[in-house]
């Protein structure tokens, strides 16, 4: 019922911008630009957990982007799934292109005849009940819709679930998060996950911090499926985790020396 009320409220009540609070607009032009995916790039947490696939993020997790993610995830601003899905679609495109053979990939890095399958990182059932929705799944569905409108064969496959309880990740460091999540995810049904032969698999989530969650999702998917995980994509990542930012910083440091 809570989910239905949130959907109804989002349709009939005037909203303020989810990023900056500008009156009577779901997302103002400036905040929409921050989520356009124009700044999408590869990210790599440090230390990098074992088994983490190449990860691409659409934007830095700060300012308006952070506010939009939290408004959708924790405050039930469900219409924000649209712009967040658009941002995720840009990151998915970069992830798929990064895994494709040079010159062989078309739109979003997917070659003719291939299917792009987005696998969202599962949320704990208790968190889904508390929030009234599953943020990663909702954003993944919006991203797949955006990709299909761009001519890409894309769909969402919710094939993973939590197989044991985990502690709240807030306040945990990288090592503690890895230990907390080790073996926590598994396939939804049976013990095997099947994908079409011509499928490119991309793990998706809203935010990456230490990379422990995506690494565990990749491990669980590899254990349950013969498919190769092409990469991972998220809406946002910490500014310092963008590979290009670190490269620029090192170049600037050498110039100063």
């Amino acid at each position: 019922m809570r989910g239905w009320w949130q959907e109804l409220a989002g349709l009939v009540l005037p909203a303020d911008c989810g990023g900056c609070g500008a009156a009577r607009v779901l997302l103002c032009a400036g905040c929409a630009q921050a989520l356009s995916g124009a700044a999408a790039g590869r990210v790599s947490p440090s230390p990098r957990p074992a088994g983490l696939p190449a990860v691409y993020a659409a934007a830095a997790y700060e300012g308006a982007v952070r506010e939009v993610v939290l408004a959708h995830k924790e405050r039930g601003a469900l219409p924000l799934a649209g712009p967040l899905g658009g941002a995720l679609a840009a990151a998915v495109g970069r992830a798929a292109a990064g895994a494709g053979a040079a010159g062989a990939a078309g739109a979003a890095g997917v070659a003719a005849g291939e299917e792009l399958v987005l696998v969202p990182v599962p949320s704990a059932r208790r968190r889904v009940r508390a929030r009234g929705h599953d943020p990663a799944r909702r954003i993944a569905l919006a991203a797949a819709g955006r990709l299909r409108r761009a001519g890409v064969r894309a769909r969402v496959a919710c094939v993973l679930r939590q197989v044991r309880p985990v502690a709240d990740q807030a306040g945990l460091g990288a090592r503690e998060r890895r230990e907390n999540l080790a073996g926590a995810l598994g396939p939804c049904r049976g013990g095997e996950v099947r994908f079409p032969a011509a499928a490119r698999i991309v793990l998706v989530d809203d935010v990456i911090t230490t990379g422990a969650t995506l690494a565990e999702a990749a491990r669980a998917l590899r254990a349950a499926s013969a498919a190769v995980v092409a990469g991972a994509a998220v809406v946002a990542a910490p500014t310092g985790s963008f590979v290009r930012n670190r490269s620029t910083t090192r170049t600037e440091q050498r110039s100063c020396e």
Side-chain angles (χ1 to χ4, degrees):
M1 287 296 295
R2 179 181 173 183
W4 282 104
W5 279 112
Q6 288 172 332
E7 293 277 14
L8 183 61
L11 290 172
V12 302
L13 297 179
D16 294 339
C17 174
C20 67
R24 301 184 66 83
V25 60
L26 177 66
L27 206 60
C28 72
C31 294
Q33 177 59 33
L35 282 165
S36 67
R42 186 167 178 177
V43 297
S44 183
S46 181
R48 184 181 179 84
L52 181 68
V55 184
Y56 291 80
Y61 188 58
E62 61 185 12
V65 172
R66 180 178 183 275
E67 290 303 314
V68 172
V69 169
L70 291 177
H72 173 261
K73 187 173 188 173
E74 305 294 352
R75 299 194 288 275
L78 303 185
L80 290 173
L84 289 169
L88 181 60
V92 168
R94 293 295 301 272
V110 181
E114 280 187 322
E115 181 181 37
L116 190 57
V117 181
L118 280 55
V119 177
V121 171
S123 300
R125 289 183 180 179
R126 59 183 176 82
R127 297 307 300 270
V128 173
R129 287 195 298 268
R131 290 170 175 151
H133 73 122
D134 186 334
R137 179 178 181 274
R138 185 177 288 273
I139 295 173
L141 289 168
R146 178 69 66 91
L147 289 164
R148 286 194 297 272
R149 289 192 291 275
V152 179
R153 290 179 58 206
R155 67 181 177 91
V156 175
C158 300
V159 296
L160 296 177
R161 66 183 178 93
Q162 284 199 355
V163 296
R164 66 164 178 81
V166 297
D168 191 339
Q169 296 275 79
L172 298 182
R175 180 180 60 80
E176 289 131 341
R177 288 190 178 211
R178 290 195 299 271
E179 293 173 351
N180 184 42
L181 288 166
L185 302 182
C188 284
R189 294 178 297 276
E192 185 177 2
V193 176
R194 295 183 181 274
F195 294 105
R200 186 162 293 181
I201 316 301
V202 178
L203 287 164
V204 296
D205 205 354
D206 53 0
V207 176
I208 183 175
T209 49
T210 66
T213 303
L214 283 168
E216 169 59 17
R219 180 210 62 78
L221 201 54
R222 293 182 187 115
S225 171
V228 175
V229 178
V234 296
V235 172
T239 303
S241 67
F242 280 82
V243 174
R244 62 172 180 269
N245 288 358
R246 290 207 293 266
S247 298
T248 302
T249 300
R250 286 194 293 269
T251 301
E252 290 172 348
Q253 288 173 342
R254 286 196 295 270
S255 299
C256 289
E257 291 169 358

